[in-house]
Amino acid sequence: MCDAENFRIDYVINPYMHTGRQPDRLAVLAEHEAIAKTHAAAGRTVRFMKSAPECPDMVYTANGALVAGGRAVLGAPPAPRRPEIPYVRAWLTAYGLEVHDAPYAFSGQGDALVCGPLLLAGHGQRTDRRMHAVLADLFGHEIVPLRTAGEQWYDLDLAVGVIDARTVAYCPQALEPESAARLHGLGLDLIEVSLEEAAGFALNLVSDGTTVTMTAGAPRFATALRERGLDVVELDTTELRKGGGGVRCTALTLDHPAPGTRG
């Protein structure tokens, strides 16, 4: 995770951002601290990267890279966020990872959700589909291309949430029909989430298969998760959502295994 000290809205690169609607500093710091504490309480190890004053979106660390099997592919974000990438590179290199550049537009973990041996891979908004072959070659996952239904779902992690290696939540209306059909053909346990709850960032979650950390305000989805025996922690992300991100966006997973890493 990256601290929220420099989080603000300096530009507009998604439908949720408005420079005239700035986050409340103390409230956003409290939201971010609650997310970090919840991860720790669930037994997850949280490591922190210091934000840079010139990078107001660094709090959304998920877009900085995809990490699996000791390797990382850096994000290649829209121009206003490019100054973040050298900081991400330096941190991941110091952490001991083999770091690669993305040759095409790539929204990092925002468009690359590991689901067991599968990689649910977004494209068409922030990620060039040619990145899928790059990811397959480096990590060895079976790529499942999924295209979201518009800029409201600018990253796949707003439309789809991985609960565990066999369970995936998604909003049917947030995916193009062909992609929704592809997801249905995988033989996974699928949880449908309403358009209303998904639009409130319900699917932008972190799950370790035991505890699901998610945005508050999606009672039907939270109930469905609890009925499956999962612990669910619902948190306020009102201020973080002003930049277009929620719980998942603020965390980059460092310990994904790679099912068949290639040399």
Side-chain angles (χ1 to χ4, degrees), residues 60-82:
Y60 303 129
T61 51
N63 301 118
L66 172 66
V67 179
R71 289 178 169 179
V73 175
L74 295 168
R81 293 194 63 182
R82 287 177 196 161

Side-chain angles (χ1 to χ4, degrees), residues 8-93:
R8 61 190 183 276
I9 313 299
D10 282 0
Y11 43 76
V12 174
I13 56 172
N14 66 55
Y16 306 95
M17 302 176 83
H18 304 280
T19 55
R21 190 166 64 102
Q22 292 294 324
D24 178 274
R25 183 177 182 276
L26 293 179
V28 78
L29 291 175
E31 287 179 8
H32 191 263
E33 182 180 12
I35 293 172
K37 285 184 174 179
T38 299
H39 290 325
R44 304 165 189 153
T45 300
V46 182
R47 304 184 187 279
F48 288 97
M49 176 171 61
K50 185 173 177 55
S51 65
E54 71 273 24
C55 298
D57 274 340
M58 275 186 79
V59 69
Y60 303 129
T61 51
N63 301 118
L66 172 66
V67 179
R71 289 178 169 179
V73 175
L74 295 168
R81 293 194 63 182
R82 287 177 196 161
E84 300 172 27
I85 300 304
Y87 293 104
V88 178
R89 180 199 305 277
W91 195 97
L92 294 175
T93 300

Side-chain angles (χ1 to χ4, degrees), residues 7-249:
F7 176 55
R8 61 190 183 276
I9 313 299
D10 282 0
Y11 43 76
V12 174
I13 56 172
N14 66 55
Y16 306 95
M17 302 176 83
H18 304 280
T19 55
R21 190 166 64 102
Q22 292 294 324
D24 178 274
R25 183 177 182 276
L26 293 179
V28 78
L29 291 175
E31 287 179 8
H32 191 263
E33 182 180 12
I35 293 172
K37 285 184 174 179
T38 299
H39 290 325
R44 304 165 189 153
T45 300
V46 182
R47 304 184 187 279
F48 288 97
M49 176 171 61
K50 185 173 177 55
S51 65
E54 71 273 24
C55 298
D57 274 340
M58 275 186 79
V59 69
Y60 303 129
T61 51
N63 301 118
L66 172 66
V67 179
R71 289 178 169 179
V73 175
L74 295 168
R81 293 194 63 182
R82 287 177 196 161
E84 300 172 27
I85 300 304
Y87 293 104
V88 178
R89 180 199 305 277
W91 195 97
L92 294 175
T93 300
Y95 185 67
L97 298 175
E98 175 188 320
V99 179
H100 298 258
D101 290 310
Y104 311 107
F106 179 46
S107 203
Q109 189 179 264
D111 265 339
L113 304 178
V114 174
C115 182
L118 307 176
L119 185 66
L120 309 181
H123 66 97
Q125 304 291 338
R126 293 278 184 87
T127 295
D128 188 311
R129 188 163 180 173
R130 290 175 292 180
M131 273 302 300
H132 294 179
V134 175
L135 300 175
D137 185 57
L138 279 171
F139 299 119
H141 294 93
E142 178 185 344
I143 304 295
V144 181
L146 298 174
R147 187 182 178 107
T148 60
E151 65 174 3
Q152 177 184 2
W153 320 100
Y154 66 90
D155 272 353
L156 186 64
D157 65 4
L158 299 177
V160 174
V162 175
I163 308 303
D164 59 36
R166 298 294 307 165
T167 310
V168 171
Y170 81 112
C171 175
Q173 299 95 320
L175 294 176
E176 292 199 345
E178 181 181 351
S179 292
R182 183 174 293 123
L183 191 61
H184 271 267
L186 297 175
L188 299 169
D189 176 17
L190 296 179
I191 304 172
E192 289 195 11
V193 175
S194 70
L195 179 61
E196 177 188 7
E197 293 195 343
F201 286 49
L203 287 161
N204 197 245
L205 56 84
V206 172
S207 174
D208 52 30
T210 300
T211 300
V212 179
T213 308
M214 61 179 284
T215 294
R220 293 187 298 277
F221 179 35
T223 296
L225 293 170
R226 290 188 176 105
E227 287 174 347
R228 284 169 164 78
L230 294 155
D231 293 326
V232 180
V233 182
E234 300 168 81
L235 300 173
D236 182 20
T237 59
T238 301
E239 301 304 308
L240 285 165
R241 293 204 307 271
K242 289 178 179 178
V247 173
R248 174 73 279 173
C249 289

